[in-house]
Structures are given as structure tokens and as C-alpha cells.
């Protein structure tokens, strides 16, 4: 179960409120790269880890709980950037180009729906949608999902950092960027710690529990070129040892595949797929 | 631009059609772990790679084109599993428990909307939704997104493999599993090939172009424990060298953070956030 | 503005309630082929028709209002099919295969969320979503959107008709099928009535107000073959007069296109698309 | 910021796992009536309450944190109900009607996507979607949103309670039902405590800060009958004092409204709304 | 069934079209606080009310029909605000800051998809989505859902009112605000009229048909404090009689809960949740 | 299966990048009128056409493959329009009204999520959503769906054409407009070629395989007027031969319908639809 106190994890100050930056910050709350996604992702992953892997369950729950506090910081940052935001499209306003551009660049629902507060939406205004929360039940797959989420999350935070020159916002983002550095590292460490501790790739290919013998071995280490015209070439993924250490990369051309025949059966007449009634002229 | 021929990339045969398996296969088409996602993800990533990284652009376009053929194979598999599917809820049917359970376990829209064909939806029946297509503009982030997509994709394919005993379906899935093995390997190889070729983690933390000096160094290699009661412990992510080779892991307690003050300004009266009209009793 | 009375447009009777058919009927309410879509589509189209085309505004508003009554009929049909539906997964139930299959085949939210009533969702359980409501502002485009909506709507109704042997449901569906026959005809008639009354295709290509001279005439009547290997062939769309009467069909091969060069510029460094920091080793 | 410990808020035991009940429980996690919605709703509301109303901010944050623990309990309940769930559609299985109906009634993605774990989706399989999280900035509106959420939430919990006879599940649901009783009461109390403490409706109409004089007083306490044929009748909302104590209910007929003229201007020719090119025949 | 005439319910005039206000008005059409939601909500609620509660069925159908006319008014208002809207991003335009800001602040799809007409979307541009339509089957829950919808709806209308100084728009909004005042009052009156007419809270807790004896009485009137550190305090919801008149509020600390043990079983090996194949080294 | 080469189908040049036009172009990629929709629609339709209609399968696959190349062209156009786009909201910037309006008019996620690249979203920023992909299994219905998609697609392209004065963009759009002309014509030709080649409407009503005798003939060619007050009038759809050649149009008034009785049964007490517990006072 969960507890709270009344502080933010790290200070959130805004020197000069900027309503357009309030819109941009929404991506870090409700976007696919944002904190709601990682928070829910780590919670659901954690709740599913079986007792025997308790170390990973703990790892996930610790960080999930940290992320709730990040959403809180960002929600505070949005509200502070909306302080004093214009809320009128009235005639006299069209004369001030700054107010004008601000009104044009604000997120409409940050005024209309939330009364100048943060919302669970992204910077384009789309509501957060749990279809991008990944909790597959397989720890190795989940750890890569987490590395990926923290990579796009940190990338987003650096882009927001470049966008503003408000010292408070830069400081808050520097904190979040630092946390994402750690989170990338911890989840990469976690994936490396699965399986043989001396082999950082012992978890590959994911899931490694599927018997090798059941794969079609002709196809599992060949890079498939789909060029219309066959041309051989070399790249790190067409030759040499595979990363999982279980095969040798090669180059295969789609043109050389034997392929399969396309055949589609006619459906049941009750589908009314046919254009004409049977027996009708 | 793109071309096609009239063959499937690999044979798709179904010995005993199973309408419920036709529903399950939808996850591999329109699910977050499915082929539409990877196909579109690699296409959009590829189209955004600048000329100077052409090798990666090519890598992505080659595999994106392969994936269109995988959607095609799976769509064919769905249609073949729906051959002869029951389409009636009539009285006499309630007596045959097999047909009964089949009708209950089919996806309604595979009959009602597509006339016993594949659809761009997942196994729960949700339409494919591009919010989970990741193309961030940063190659390292994108490669991890691809490793993650191929990991959950291969995991899904192994689960489908366990679910059926149709030899044709097992053979098709063995092919797709093999391709996912390769794709995991090729994208891991690609991410390792970014930056210093002798350092497989030289691309970390992502994005590595953000100046180290601007991060808050107090926080970027410490694992944050959010336990209500402070307890020290050891794990691979609380001590030792970080994976990016740039720091030393440590353990930090949220309880020891200095934190920031929570403060929320009152919004503009035009928001009508207030309960009572000013001056009204 | 709108009015109502207390009758249904046509009787809705259910002899033997079938909770699984209650699920299937949802497609006709909230599906892309359903009545909510056409109702809203005709309303929004109607509200946008300018005064000078009042005849079409009227056409649309008349039928939109009719469609509200169809949703009402279908909602009644769902509720009646859910009368007496099982709501328990208790132990003793697993012994009756009919109840068992019924519970498995019901839509969970028809019990959990609506208390055995109709919902604004489709048969897969997805909420109605206005992204498929088309009201383009161009009457010809809108009329084709309506013909298409009525075609898939009638197709759906015939599939539902085949699925049941309840006489009440068959009667209600026969009514709805008849109305869709009319609606297809009326919107086709409407599109033919645009432009020259003697030329049923005078509205083509849509929008016909775009000056012919600005199109690239080399490409506007040639069927493009995208086969990997060039092969000439004949079909109704590779030769003869075009349907709009303004060109002659021909066959063109993608292989013979001159094409354009692919080139992608490098993005601003502030995007942090690059893997490494400038000047860092 | 937030903390956690390693216990559940209340015990979650399952005597006889039932994979179909695992599907039903998803509604209480990711449904519009579920715990993710209330949790996020109270968090976002809380984070937006200005300092001067700190008592309400606290109320919301206390309960939001409680709700995270409810999601955790339900996720545990789902996993426990999926223990031993069938994962095969193989031939020999069609002979056991119980397994058969179970496979038909399970949620496909609970196996395929999460490996027999809880997901952030509802019982129809739709991903949680923050569009139903309400945080309007106005405390009175938000409190009603909360009462409503707790009402549909408790209704859902009672329906789940009726559906099962597993003693562990009944006990867990009895706890959640009790909490919803409290939450309904606390939010009703909170809305009554806004404004004059002696007048439980002093916050009405919401928002009460909009000046009465600006409303059209002819219309603000009359019930509008939209019957096609005028018929007078009496109901609690057609006569007597209004609930907000500011008006007298009356009955008005749409037929008696003066109404407004419908008029739609022609759009800019650049919209190509017109069927024919100007000047073309 | 339904009927229409050719008038608007109330006049809709726009003196100075403002394309940015046309965007804002979309929230009142397709937003969660908008008219499409209430219209569909009351329709679906009404269609599900059993014969014995006909008075409420009528209440809902009367107002649902009124709401269709409100969507119509707003759609007209959008079209009128888009009259003369700029549709070009051409070079010469960048010199006029007003046109410039207008183009930036318009909703792209109001030009591109609808040809300068209203759309079934909200002010952020998200399509209307029926997941927020609530029709629970329980009249008391539904009436609170309606009060809540009318509260956020009226709040939205007052915010739109403040945003504009066009006299026509202010007049139309004053009408809609007045109607929302009535609708709040009528649904509150309706909920009070359920159960004992002398006890306005006799319907509580919702659903009141669940036997009190089955709730866990230890938890149903205690406010749960989730503070990390225990601190007693007083608030209207921690002491005194509960609103439903059935209990006494008290304060309980999460820290004092006995809690339950977290335990997660290992899943079936066919899920491939495990990292390594059994027996593999 | 599919192949690619390294050219674009047609040149894509941008003389003066315009970040706001980059936003508008997204509609042609991920919008309901865009290329992702038609591409996936033709692919899924093609994959479902049975062997006996191979000519249509080929038609669809040829054009589907063409459309992938159109998405590619548009993605390139977006990236080129984003070259040099501003990415800062810093103080000094507020002084340049052009940069200011540009920042306000850009799509936030084109910078934040994709690093100045194209995304699979529409111009309002909504992710592409396969719910508008139509593949019904019935060729006639599908061909109308395609005509409609190409009509709204060409309409969109002409609106984009009017919006820009960049010669490269105008040239690219002229190409796409020409292709849409062809696609409208080819799908209309295809629908006319179904059934009797001498009767262009022999496929009507769709599906024509439903036996005429089962329709309610009283209702299938009468236009239903839903006016509150009965008024006869003439229109092309109230008299004369129907388009399918199978009936005679007439005018019918909803007022004259016999209608059906509305009746809603009470639901199972386990739904807790009732306000009060049985036997409780």
C-alpha cells in the first residue's frame, strides 16, 4: 500500500510563467514518453512479479512510487506556468502580438476543462491511454520496455530543457534528466543480471525459454534484404557473431525465398460477401 | 517506393480451422506487440533518418518492408482459421457444446464487420492505434524501442505457438519466431554500433548529446528507495559501476530528500474555479 | 430543434431472449457500420449545408432524425435480449453448458456497467468514437460517404438477420434492412442530382471545382501497377473511357516511373537526435 | 511525494481461481467505474487546489493515495484468479465443456499480452483512457464528479460481489464496497461544506460565481417538454422550489419557444465545398 | 421516435466571426463536458428505465431531445465563427500579425476535414468518444452522473462566456447557462425524489439495495489518512453524522491497518514468463 | 510479399520550409482522409478477396502498394517543412511575431516526440486509429468505401494545395490529386463491373444477395419525412424510379407510421439497478 507526505520530491519554481510551455510540459505527464506511462508500467509489472523474483518486484515498486512524485512535480509546473494566462479572445486583445500568439499557442482544454491546471493528456492534447503501458509478464522483455521508456523520456526532457530559459524550469528538468539517467542504468543492469551473471546477454533471445530446436534455424540469424533488385552488401548485422552469441549473421534476399502460395477460401454465404443472390439473374 | 509479388513470404497452412485461434492471431496483427506496429515504426523511423546515417535508414527500410509481408501472412492465417466458422445463434445450436463454445469465443466483428476475414485490431478487439508507434528521431532510443517491440513480439508468438497444435500454424509461427530472433539481434547490434565500436554502451545515457555538466550529478547514479521506513539493502543497482560506465551506483532514501514546497496559486476569476461569486453572500 | 413521442418507429419484440445476440446487436448501435454513426454523420452534414442548397440540408435532417429512432429500437432490442440473462459465475453453474457458454459469450460491460441495458459501444465492446463520422463540407463526397455507410450498415443487418431465428428480431431487422435499401437509393439519387441532371457522373472527380489544368495530366487516368516484375494485362480499369468521362484509362508500371530522390536533412542539434554530444569523445 | 510498504491494504485471497472472474475484475481496475479513474481523478484534482483551500487538497490527496492501494489489491486478485488458467485451444480440449467455456470466456490479452496478469484495461478489454478523468478546477463540480465516480464504482463492486461465490473474493469486495460507502459520504459532506455551512446547497448552481443577472432568467427554472404534442403534466421538477433555493420550477413547451432562424453561410471557395468549378459547365 | 422542425431552439448570431472561438466552442459540442455527451447519456439512460419508473424515463427523454437542439445551436455557432476564416499559409500572410495568430490558433481539421464547419470533436481536436457516456442502470447513480455532467457543462459555458465579447455569442451562451442551471436542479430534485420523499438522502449509499450487513462495518464510515507519519486532525468528514444518516464519521490511519500479505504465484510455463528454458544452462 | 527501392515515387521538394504546413500535411498521412487509411484499407480488403475474384484482389493490392509510397512522400514533405523550425520559447523570441506565430502554430509533438519528423497522426494531433479502415468482405460495399476514401482524400489534397504557395509542395500535391482522380475512377469502374456488365447498378442494393422477399416492401423505397408537422413536397428521392431499378420512390410521413410500443422489463435484482434494498424501509 501507499503513503504520501506534503512535500514535492524536488523544488518546482517558475520565474516567468509561460502558458505555451505549460502545454509542452503535458507531454511529460500524459505522453507516451511521459511519467504516467512509466509509473503505471512499473506498478503493473511489479504487481505481477512472482515471489521467487522478489528482488525485481522491489526494484519496480521502488521506482514506480518515485514516478508518482514526478507526475506531481510536473503537474505543479504546469499550474505555475499557467498563472496569469490570458483567457480572452476579445477585440482589444488582437492588438498585442505577444498575448495574441500566446492565446494561439495555449492548449484550449487547459483553460476550458481544467481551469488553468494540469491534465492527464499529452502536448497534442490527446488523453493518456494505457495501450502503451507494457507489462508482459516476462522480466527481460519488461526491462527492455523500461529502458526504452526511460530513453524516450530522457530525450523528451532534454528537448523541453532546450525550449525554455526559465531557471526554475531548467533546474527541475535537470533533476528529471538525472533521474532518467539512473533509471536507464538500473534497468539495463537489471536485464544484465538475469541469467548467467557473467554473460550480459544470457537472457537473449527473449523469451529464452522457448526451445531453440523449435525455431526454423534457416531464418533466425539472416538479415533479410527486401530490395527489389538483389545487391549484396556488408553491415554489422550481415556478418559476424550475433549478439546473443548463438548464431552467425548472414545476408538473405527476399528474392531468393521460396515463398508460399496465396489462397483465400470463399466465405459462408451467410456473410453476404457475394454481390448477387444465388440463382438470381 | 514499394513493390509486391503474388506470393507469401512463407507458407501459411491450416489443417483444422479454429475460429477462436483466429481471434488470438489478431494480437499479432493489430496488437501493441504485433506486426502493424513494427512495420509502421520502422517505416517512420527510416523516413526520418538523415542522409549521413544512411546505413541505419537502409536497415530500417529493409525490415519494415519484410514486416508488411508478415501482416499479410497473419491475415491469411486468420481467414483460413475462420473457414467454416459458425455464424448462427439459433436454437438448435445450443445443444452442441463445441459449436456453442466456439460461438462464445469468436470475435464478433470478425463475422459482423469483416465477413470472416482478418481485421486491423488486437485480440481483445481494439482497433490498432498508432499511439504506440515510436519514432523519436534519436537512433539509439529508436533501436531500444525496436528491441523491445521484437521482444514482446517474439513472446507473443511463443504464446500463440503453445496455444495451438495445428501443424500448419506451428510451422508459420516457428518462422515468425525465428525472424524475431534475428530482429532482436540486429537492432541490438545496431545500437552497439553507434558511437565507439569498441564500447557497446557508448551511446548511453540516451540521448548522450546532452552535456553531462547540466545534469544534477547528485541524483544521476543513485537508486531511490521509496519505502515508508528506511532500510538499507544491496542489489546490482545500488552499488558498483553503472552500465554507461560514467558513474557509481549508490542507494538514496526518499526520506532523506530535502524536497520542495507545494504551493498552488489561485487561478484567474474568469475560470470560475471559485464556488461563490465575489461579494455575494 | 427536435421533438419526440412515446412510440417506437417500428415494433421491437423478442420471443426468446438471447444475451449473446444482445452483444451482437451492439454493432448496429455503436459500430462503425451502426446507427450512431449515420445519425451523427447526417446531423453534422446537414448543419453545414449552406442556405443555397437547402434541398440537401432537408434531405439530411429528415433522415438523421429517422436514425435517432433506429438507435432507440436497437437499444430496446438489446435490453429485451438481456432479460433473464445469467449474472453469476458460481460453482453450481459450471454444470449447465448452455448457461456456461452464455456467460462466456456475453459482453461483460452489458452487465457490469449498464445493468443489462444497451451501451454506446460496438460488438467487440469498443466505445463509439466520432472519428468515423464524415462531414466534409463537400456534398458529393458526403453523399458517397453516406452510400458507403448505408451499404456496410445493410450488410451488417443482413448478417444479424442470418444469426438469429427469433421471429421478433427477424421482423425488426427486415424493417431496418428495408430502410437501408431506401437510404442507399436516396443518397445515390442525391449524388446523381448534383451538377448536370442528365449526367449522373457530372460531380466527378470529387471535388470537381479543382481546375483540371492544375492536375498532372500524365497521371490522372493511368492505373499504376506496382508488381515487382513488369507484366502487362487488361482489366476494366486499364483501358476504355474513365467513369467521369474526362479521360481514357491506361496501364503504367511503377518500374517505369522516373521517381524522386530521397533526402533527409539533419535536424537542429536541440532535438538531441544525435547519439553523441558535439566535441565529446 | 509518495511512499510504499510491502503489504496490501486488506487481504486478497482466492479459494478457487476463476479466469472468467479475472476478466470481470478488470472493470474495477481500468473501467470508467474503476480505481485507476478515481485515483488519477483525485490526484489531478488535489494537485490543482490552491493554497487557500488546503483542507480540500488534503482530503483529495489522502484518498487518492488510498486508491493506489486498491488498484494493487485488484491486480493481485486478477493474478490469483488466473492461476492455473488454460492456455491451449488444442483438439483434446474441446471435449471438456468447462475448460472450453473458460477458454471462450477469458480475456485473450490477459494471456497473450500479460502472461496471466492484470492489465490497465476494462472488462471489455479496452485500455484505460484518461478522457474520463475529471478535474475541472472548480471544487463543487469536482466533488459531484467524485460522488458520481464512487456511486458507479460501488454499483460495480456490488455486481461483482453477486457474480462470485468465492469467499476470498466476497471478503475483498465487501471491503471495497465499505470504502466506497465512505467515499460517497465524504465527498457529499465536502460539497455541503462549501459556502454557507448551514445551507447544504449553497454551492448551487455550479459554478455559483457566475452572476445571476447574466443568465436568461426566462429559462433557468423551467422544465422543457420536447413532446411533439403539447401535454401539461406535473412532476417534482415542474413545480415547487428549485433545489438551489433560487427559483420556482415551471413547465415550458418547446412548441411554444420562439426559436431562431437557421442560416448557414457559403464557405470560402478554397474549401472546395462546391461540386463544380466556378465558370465550368 | 423523433421529429424535427426547421428552427433553432434559440437564436444564434455572430457579429464578428472569430475562427479561434470556433475552436473553443468545439468543447461544448464534442468534449467530455459537452452536449453530445449529455444528449447520448440521457438517451441511453431513458431507453433503459423500466416501465415502473416511467416518470424518470420521461424526464430523461424530454431533456435528451432538448440537448440535440443544443448541439445544433453550437454547430451553427461554429460555422458562423468560421465565416471568412483564413485558409492560406502563403508568404504575404506572415506580415499581418492578426491573420498570422489566427491561422496558428485555428483548429486544422475545421478547415481540412470539414470545410469550415463544426465537427464532433473537442477543443483539443480529439474525436468524441462514448466511453464517458454513463448509463448505469441505477437511477440514483445516473442522476448524480447527470448533475456532474451539467455542472462541468455549465462551468464550461461560463468560461466560454468570459472568453468572448461578441454579443450574439454571449446571448447564446447565457441561454445555455440558464438551461444548465435548470438541468442541475431537475436532476438533483429527481435524485431527492427517489426513496422516502421526506429524506433527500434516502437513496444513499448508492446502490442502497445492497444489504448493509454484507459490508465490512469497520471501514464504511472512517476517513482513511494515508500520511506517511500519523497525525490526527479534524475535518467535516472525520467526525459527526454521515450524510446518508447511517453512520458516524471517524478518522483511521493507514499505518494502523493490519493489511494483507502480498504473494504472486508463478505462471504456467507456457506463458514463457521465465527468462531461461527449463533445464538449459 | 513486398519489396522496395531507394527512390520516391515522385519528387518532393520544399523551397521555403513552413513548420505550420508540416502540421497540416499530417492530415494526409494519419487522418481519416489520409494515406495510411487507404493503404491499410486496400491491403486488408485485398487479403480477404477469395480466389475466384482474383482480378479484384490484384486491383486492390496494386493500389495498396502504391499508397505506401504516398505515405513515404508525405513523410518526406513533413520533414523538409520542419527544417530549421524554431524549438525555443525563450524570452528574446517573443519579439519576432513571425517566429512567435510559428511556434504557436506548430504541432508540439512534431518537435517533442519525433525530433522534427513526420508522425502517424492527423493534423489535430490524434494518432492514426484503424477503426476507420473498412474491409467488409463484400466487394461492392468495399468499392464504395474506397470511392468515398478517395473523394475525401482528394478534397483534402486540394485544400492543402490552396493553403501553400511553395512550388515544390504544389507540384507534389498536383501529383497526389491526379492519383486520387484515377483511384476514384478505378473503384467506380470496379463497382460497375460487378454483376451484369451492361447494368452499372446491378450490384444494388448492397448486399444484393439478400433475398428481396425478406425485406419489408412497404418501407424500402419510401422517403421518410420526420417533420413535426406533415407537409408534402417533391424531391428527386420522393418520386420516380429508384437508382437500383427495383422500386419507385415515394414520400412517407413518420407521423403516419403505426409505430411500436415502448416497454422495458425490470432487470435482475442482482444488477442492483433498484434504489432500495428489498424489504427495507
Amino acid at each position: 500500500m501507499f503513503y504520501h507526505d506534503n512535500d514535492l520530491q524536488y523544488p518546482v519554481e517558475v520565474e516567468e510563467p509561460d502558458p505555451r510551455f505549460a502545454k509542452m510540459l503535458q507531454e511529460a505527464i500524459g505522453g507516451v514518453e511521459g511519467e504516467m506511462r512509466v509509473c503505471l508500467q512499473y506498478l503493473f509489472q511489479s504487481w505481477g512479479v512472482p515471489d521467487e523474483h522478489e528482488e525485481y518486484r522491489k526494484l519496480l515498486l521502488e521506482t514506480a512510487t518515485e514516478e508518482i512524485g514526478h507526475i506531481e512535480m510536473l503537474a505543479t509546473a504546469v499550474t505555475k506556468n499557467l498563472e496569469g494566462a490570458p483567457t480572452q479572445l476579445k477585440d482589444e486583445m488582437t492588438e498585442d502580438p505577444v498575448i495574441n500568439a500566446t492565446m494561439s499557442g495555449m492548449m484550449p482544454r487547459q483553460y476550458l476543462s481544467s481551469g488553468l491546471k494540469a491534465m492527464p493528456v499529452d502536448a497534442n492534447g490527446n488523453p493518456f491511454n494505457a495501450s502503451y503501458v507494457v507489462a508482459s509478464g516476462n522480466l527481460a522483455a519488461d526491462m527492455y520496455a523500461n529502458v526504452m521508456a526511460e530513453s524516450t523520456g530522457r530525450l523528451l526532457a532534454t528537448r523541453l530543457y532546450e525550449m525554455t530559459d526559465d531557471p526554475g524550469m531548467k533546474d527541475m528538468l535537470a533533476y528529471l534528466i538525472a533521474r532518467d539517467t539512473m533509471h536507464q542504468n538500473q534497468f539495463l543492469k537489471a536485464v544484465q543480471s538475469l541469467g548467467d551473471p557473467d554473460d550480459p546477454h544470457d537472457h537473449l533471445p527473449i523469451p529464452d525459454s522457448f526451445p531453440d530446436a523449435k525455431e526454423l534455424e534457416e531464418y533466425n540469424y539472416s538479415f533479410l534484404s527486401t530490395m527489389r533488385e538483389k545487391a549484396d552488401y556488408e553491415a554489422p548485422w550481415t556478418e559476424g557473431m550475433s549478439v546473443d552469441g548463438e548464431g552467425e549473421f548472414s545476408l538473405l534476399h527476399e528474392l531468393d525465398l521460396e515463398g508460399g502460395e496465396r489462397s483465400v477460401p470463399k466465405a459462408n454465404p451467410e456473410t453476404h460477401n457475394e454481390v448477387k443472390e444465388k440463382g438470381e439473374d
Side-chain angles (χ1 to χ4, degrees), chain A:
Chain A
M1 64 186 128
F2 297 82
Y3 303 87
H4 69 95
D5 66 23
N6 286 326
D7 289 326
L8 301 175
Q9 212 175 85
Y10 189 83
V12 176
E13 303 298 342
V14 174
E15 211 158 277
E16 298 224 19
D18 183 340
R20 289 195 281 184
F21 198 57
K23 175 174 71 179
M24 300 301 174
L25 284 167
Q26 285 290 158
E27 191 67 24
I29 294 177
V32 67
E33 311 89 353
E35 305 285 3
M36 290 179 71
R37 184 250 181 97
V38 286
C39 174
L40 289 164
Q41 184 157 305
Y42 306 158
L43 284 173
F44 277 88
Q45 286 178 9
S46 167
W47 293 330
V49 177
D51 296 349
E52 59 180 17
H53 295 301
E54 208 192 333
E55 186 177 26
Y56 297 97
R57 185 157 82 197
K58 190 173 168 57
L59 162 67
L60 290 160
L61 194 52
E62 296 272 38
T63 303
T65 310
E66 178 185 352
E67 302 288 10
I68 316 175
H70 292 184
I71 314 176
E72 183 179 48
M73 287 169 62
L74 286 157
T76 304
V78 165
T79 301
K80 290 195 170 184
N81 272 291
L82 287 167
E83 198 173 356
T87 57
Q88 303 188 335
L89 284 165
K90 298 182 182 174
D91 253 23
E92 63 268 33
M93 315 221 46
T94 54
E95 279 150 42
D96 180 330
V98 175
I99 294 182
N100 234 334
T102 301
M103 274 307 291
S104 289
M106 283 177 65
M107 177 178 288
R109 296 192 63 212
Q110 278 188 339
Y111 167 55
L112 296 175
S113 296
S114 73
L116 302 178
K117 310 290 180 190
M119 301 188 75
V121 305
D122 72 14
N124 274 9
N126 299 300
F128 173 80
N129 155 1
S131 67
Y132 31 84
V133 170
V134 173
S136 71
N138 178 289
L139 272 174
D142 284 356
M143 289 303 144
Y144 276 109
N146 300 352
V147 172
M148 171 271 209
E150 295 289 345
S151 298
T152 51
R154 191 173 181 272
L155 183 58
L156 169 63
T158 63
R159 287 170 179 167
L160 289 167
Y161 186 96
E162 302 290 358
M163 194 175 253
T164 182
D165 59 358
D166 187 281
M169 285 296 91
K170 275 187 140 34
D171 189 43
M172 177 192 80
L173 288 163
Y175 173 75
L176 293 174
I177 290 167
R179 297 310 301 149
D180 287 352
T181 299
M182 177 58 194
H183 294 162
Q184 280 181 40
N185 275 280
Q186 77 189 41
F187 292 125
L188 276 167
K189 189 72 194 174
V191 78
Q192 291 180 358
S193 74
L194 294 167
D196 181 349
D198 293 336
D199 177 357
H201 294 119
D202 190 43
H203 54 278
L204 294 175
I206 296 170
D208 206 16
S209 55
F210 188 78
D212 294 351
K214 291 184 176 173
E215 277 194 59
L216 293 194
E217 305 210 349
E218 210 174 333
Y219 300 105
N220 56 4
Y221 294 102
S222 46
F223 183 78
L224 188 70
S225 174
T226 53
M227 288 293 289
R228 197 186 62 77
E229 283 183 293
K230 210 161 137 176
D232 284 342
Y233 61 96
E234 288 173 16
W237 37 87
T238 63
E239 55 185 16
M241 174 69 84
S242 69
V243 177
D244 63 13
E246 300 183 20
E248 195 78 27
F249 285 136
S250 64
L251 181 66
L252 179 67
H253 295 280
E254 193 173 36
L255 275 166
D256 293 335
L257 290 181
E258 211 166 317
E261 196 190 356
R262 188 198 309 267
S263 169
V264 182
K266 210 172 145 170
N268 191 323
E270 293 187 341
T271 58
H272 290 292
N273 285 359
E274 282 307 296
V275 170
K276 298 296 296 179
E277 188 175 352
K278 271 176 305 186
E280 233 200 9
D281 54 2

